[in-house]
Structure formats: structure tokens, C-alpha cells
Amino acid sequence: MSSEVILVVEDEPALQETLAYNLEKEGYSVEVAGDGRSALDAARRLQPDLILLDIMLPEMDGFEVCRILRKETNSPILMLTARDDEIDRVVGLEVGADDYLTKPFSMRELLARVKAQFRRSRLLREEMAKVKEETPEQEALAFDNLVINITRREVTLGGDPLQMKPKEYELLVYLARHRGQMLSRELILERVWGWDYIGDSRTVDVHIRWLRQKVESDPANPLRIVTVRGGGYRFEG
Ligand code: CA
């Protein structure tokens, strides 16, 4: 039996107990922490597969805990918020939680969100294992008239340098190194933007659009960066 470990960080004893009880009933191993500092200790010690994190906590609030943990772990963090004005910060760039639930919430809703996070991590892990780097690290990648000079961080098209934002460049290099492979938006977001960025895969679409305007001769009918039905992109060269 797979027993994923969930760390429940909640200072209200009744809710802590209810959460632990219901998650254990679903077959998860549950550990609890009642304040921010012990949450950090527990997360480092247990390496949980998912962290359920309340915001209003003694010692150190959930925002701070999340910010620190985000630098140390890829495990999904699901935040529990009590106030509407917390939601903006949770979903904003600064904290980096994967999802949130507003109190009060039903156990059924909570379990659905937990399962969704595990499903997402599993899919991402499977895709990562499948996707291989086509082109090893090298100084330059050339595709017909498109040349990416890695050493100089410069891209030229027909010999003319292209102006690129840092993320456009990184995205292009990531795509180019995985030429011919379908890459999902989620994987691209995770690999190019990393976990500092709270996921909205439309960010990927926007950057792809910008890139196409630079590297495609007809951006409306892209030949280099093609859209793959079923949610991703493939670099053709
Ligand atoms: Ca609380």
C-alpha cells in the first residue's frame, strides 16, 4: 500500500485532529505540527509528500513557512486561509503555494484537492522520467537560420541578433534541447520558471506567442514551435 506522508500544520487542536483523522482514514500517513517553527522542523525531518499549511499560526505565519519551504522542497503545499484578503497573497508570486482552501471547507473538498495535488505530482514525475534531453549541453544550437549561442546567451535569425527577455531565451533553449518531443505546459512551467512561480500555464502560452513572433516566418502558422493537441508544445527545429 502506498502511504503518502502528509504534514498537517494547524494550531487549532480540534481542526488538527479532524484533518488528521480524515486523512488517515484515506490511507495517508499524517504528522502534525502546531506552529510555524515546528512545521519547518517537521518538514525537513519527514520530507512529506504534501504539506497542508494554515496561515494564522503562532511563532511564524504560514506565508513565511511557505516561502522558506518553497526553496527547499518540490512537495505540493496546500494552504488553508481564513480571510479573503489572504487569498491574493497565497496565489500571488511571493508565496508559491500550489493551491489553497478557504475556511470553512468540507472534508470532501479537502480530500479532492489533496488527491488532485498527488495526481499532478505523479503525472509530472512520469513526464519528467519520459522526457529526455535531445541535445546535450553545448556552446551553440543551430536550426537552419536560427542559431542559439549558449555561451553568449544570444539568439540570431539569419545572422541578425534577436532581442529576447530572459524567460523567452530560457524557454527557447529548453524547447530546443528537447527537439521533437511533446512537452506539456505544466512541465515547461516547472522546468523553465521553477517552483518560485505559482503556476498558471497561460504564462507559457504567452511566452510561446512572443517567441513565435521572433523565430517563425509566419507566426500564425508556426513551423518551428508547434502546438500539440492534448496540451503542449513541440520544437521542430
Ligand atoms: Ca490557525
Side-chain angles (χ1 to χ4, degrees):
M1 191 182 94
S2 81
S3 183
E4 282 130 330
V5 177
I6 299 179
L7 174 63
V8 172
V9 186
E10 170 60 64
D11 58 322
E12 291 156 50
L15 185 53
Q16 191 189 80
E17 205 172 302
T18 310
L19 289 168
Y21 172 77
N22 282 279
L23 290 166
E24 276 169 354
K25 217 170 65 180
E26 287 295 304
Y28 300 115
S29 294
V30 180
E31 297 282 338
V32 293
D35 66 73
R37 278 189 203 288
S38 40
L40 281 183
D41 291 344
R44 287 167 181 156
R45 183 165 40 86
L46 299 163
Q47 305 284 310
D49 300 296
L50 182 139
I51 300 154
L52 215 57
L53 180 58
D54 187 32
I55 291 178
M56 295 300 283
L57 292 169
E59 298 294 322
M60 183 189 284
D61 73 15
F63 290 124
E64 191 56 30
V65 174
C66 187
R67 241 190 314 267
I68 295 171
L69 286 181
R70 194 70 303 167
K71 297 191 184 101
E72 302 177 7
T73 173
N74 286 348
S75 300
I77 300 176
L78 213 165
M79 300 200 81
L80 308 179
T81 73
R83 301 196 318 256
D84 284 347
D85 60 342
E86 292 171 340
I87 295 172
D88 289 347
R89 294 185 64 196
V90 170
V91 298
L93 298 179
E94 60 172 321
V95 177
D98 294 277
D99 198 5
Y100 68 93
L101 274 167
T102 312
K103 291 179 179 178
F105 50 82
S106 70
M107 277 304 138
R108 181 213 279 256
E109 177 67 9
L110 172 89
L111 293 173
R113 299 292 189 90
V114 166
K115 285 196 184 116
Q117 285 303 324
F118 280 133
R119 197 160 47 238
R120 181 172 163 267
S121 330
R122 194 169 53 243
L123 288 175
L124 209 52
R125 258 199 319 273
E126 282 169 10
E127 194 184 359
M128 272 182 212
K130 219 168 54 196
V131 167
K132 304 177 289 293
E133 220 162 87
E134 282 278 292
T135 326
E137 299 265 347
Q138 59 191 71
E139 284 180 10
L141 302 169
F143 308 95
D144 197 12
N145 61 349
L146 177 69
V147 179
I148 308 170
N149 187 318
I150 306 283
T151 323
R152 294 163 63 178
R153 274 184 85 91
E154 186 187 76
V155 182
T156 57
L157 187 69
D160 299 322
L162 295 174
Q163 292 297 321
M164 282 199 182
K165 298 189 179 81
K167 281 291 176 232
E168 284 178 283
Y169 173 80
E170 286 163 33
L171 173 59
L172 180 63
V173 170
Y174 184 73
L175 293 172
R177 286 220 164 108
H178 298 85
R179 182 186 189 171
Q181 300 186 62
M182 199 288 252
L183 305 165
S184 72
R185 290 177 174 79
E186 289 70 26
L187 183 71
I188 294 171
L189 193 66
E190 209 259 293
R191 288 317 219 194
V192 177
W193 276 264
W195 291 93
D196 297 342
Y197 193 83
I198 171 79
D200 182 338
S201 52
R202 275 172 304 188
T203 306
V204 176
D205 299 333
V206 171
H207 281 75
I208 292 277
R209 199 159 64 232
W210 290 340
L211 266 186
R212 280 175 172 160
Q213 277 156 14
K214 291 174 186 175
V215 304
E216 298 280 357
S217 39
D218 179 7
N221 296 294
L223 299 173
R224 296 201 130 119
I225 305 169
V226 301
T227 304
V228 183
R229 276 223 291 189
Y233 295 100
R234 190 176 61 232
F235 185 77
E236 295 288 5

